[in-house]
C-alpha cells in the first residue's frame, strides 16, 4: 500500500484496521531506513549479540566500556557493535529489566550483568561486593521480605530494580579466617 493511499484513506478507517500491524512495520521501516540498511533489524542483531555476551559471562559484572572491549575481542560475538551502541543498548536493557545495572562500592560507574533467571520479577537478587557473585533469593523468602517492607514501611519495592549488596558466605569466611 502506498503512503499516499494511507494518508487519503486515513489510518483509523474501518477498511484499514486489519492492515495496522503491517502499516506499523512499513512506517517503522520508512522512518528507520538509512543508506540501504533497516536500522530496526540491525539494532535487534546487535542487541541479541550483546545479551549473548552477557549471558556467556553471567557470573561477571562489567562497565559499558568493558563490555564493548570484551565483545570486540570475543570470538563468539557474531556482531561487534560500536561503543556508543553498547552504551545505548545497555541503558535500554537495564531500564526494561532484562539486565541488572548497579554501582559498585568502590566506584561511580554503572556495572551491568545478565540475569540467569531472565527477568528479575518474582524474587530478589543479592550481589557480593567482593567476588561479584549474583545470588537469586528464593521466591517465597523474597515475597515475605517485600510484604513486610510494604506493610511496615508503607513502601513498595520495585523488585525488578532491587539489588541487595553485601558479602557472600564464601567471601565472608575468607575475610574472617
Amino acid at each position: 500500500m502506498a503512503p499516499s493511499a494511507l494518508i487519503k484513506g486515513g489510518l483509523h478507517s474501518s477498511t484499514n484496521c486489519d492492515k495496522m500491524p503491517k502499516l506499523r512495520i512499513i512506517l517503522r521501516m520508512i522512518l528507520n531506513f538509512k543508506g540501504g540498511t533497516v536500522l530496526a533489524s540491525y539494532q535487534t542483531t546487535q542487541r541479541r549479540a550483546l545479551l549473548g555476551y552477557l549471558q556467556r559471562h553471567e557470573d561477571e559484572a562489567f562497565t559499558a566500556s568493558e563490555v564493548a572491549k570484551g565483545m570486540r575481542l570475543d570470538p563468539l560475538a557474531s556482531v561487534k557493535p560500536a561503543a556508543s551502541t553498547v552504551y545505548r543498548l545497555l541503558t535500554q536493557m537495564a531500564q526494561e529489566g532484562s539486565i541488572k545495572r548497579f554501582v559498585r562500592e568502590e566506584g561511580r560507574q554503572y556495572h551491568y550483568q545478565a540475569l540467569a533467571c531472565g527477568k528479575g520479577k518474582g524474587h530478589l537478587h543479592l550481589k557480593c561486593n567482593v567476588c561479584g557473585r549474583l545470588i537469586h533469593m528464593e521466591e517465597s523468602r523474597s515475597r515475605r521480605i517485600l510484604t513486610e517492607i510494604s506493610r511496615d514501611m508503607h513502601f513498595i519495592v520495585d523488585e525488578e530494580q532491587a539489588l541487595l549488596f553485601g558479602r557472600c558466605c564464601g567471601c565472608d569466611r575468607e575475610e574472617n579466617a
Side-chain angles (χ1 to χ4, degrees):
M1 179 180 282
S4 59
L6 293 173
I7 293 168
K8 287 178 189 171
L11 296 178
H12 299 290
S13 70
S14 59
T15 58
N16 288 327
C17 285
D18 58 333
K19 299 175 186 169
M20 288 302 287
K22 288 181 184 178
L23 173 63
R24 285 189 187 119
I25 293 168
I26 292 168
L27 288 175
R28 188 178 304 126
M29 289 174 67
I30 291 168
L31 293 172
N32 291 328
F33 193 84
K34 180 181 177 184
T37 303
V38 177
L39 295 179
S41 64
Y42 183 65
Q43 291 170 352
T44 301
T45 302
Q46 292 181 339
R47 183 185 175 97
R48 277 196 306 264
L50 177 58
L51 188 57
Y53 177 80
L54 290 174
Q55 288 172 339
R56 284 193 302 279
H57 300 82
E58 68 185 29
D59 292 333
E60 301 174 64
F62 304 97
T63 63
S65 62
E66 289 170 338
V67 172
K69 182 178 180 183
M71 287 186 74
R72 278 195 311 272
L73 300 174
D74 185 1
L76 297 176
S78 57
V79 176
K80 317 277 186 198
S84 61
T85 302
V86 170
Y87 279 83
R88 181 177 40 77
L89 288 175
L90 286 171
T91 300
Q92 286 175 359
M93 293 164 74
Q95 289 171 344
E96 295 166 0
S98 56
I99 62 174
K100 281 287 182 191
R101 176 174 68 180
F102 56 92
V103 178
R104 284 197 170 153
E105 249 180 40
E106 72 273 6
R108 298 176 98 151
Q109 287 184 310
Y110 281 123
H111 284 74
Y112 300 89
Q113 186 169 15
L115 296 174
C117 59
K119 289 221 176 209
K121 198 105 173 133
H123 62 273
L124 295 172
H125 293 94
L126 311 172
K127 181 75 176 172
C128 180
N129 288 328
V130 180
C131 69
R133 183 174 165 213
L134 186 69
I135 302 165
H136 306 274
M137 187 183 287
E138 298 166 352
E139 189 172 342
S140 61
R141 183 173 288 173
S142 294
R143 227 10 81 220
R144 284 193 309 269
I145 291 169
L146 293 169
T147 301
E148 191 171 318
I149 291 171
S150 175
R151 183 187 64 231
D152 297 348
M153 305 303 295
H154 306 286
F155 186 83
I156 306 297
V157 175
D158 180 354
E159 62 193 87
E160 289 185 30
Q161 297 295 318
L163 189 61
L164 304 174
F165 291 90
R167 266 194 311 269
C168 70
C169 59
C171 292
D172 193 47
R173 260 187 259 131
E174 288 177 17
E175 191 170 294
N176 292 323

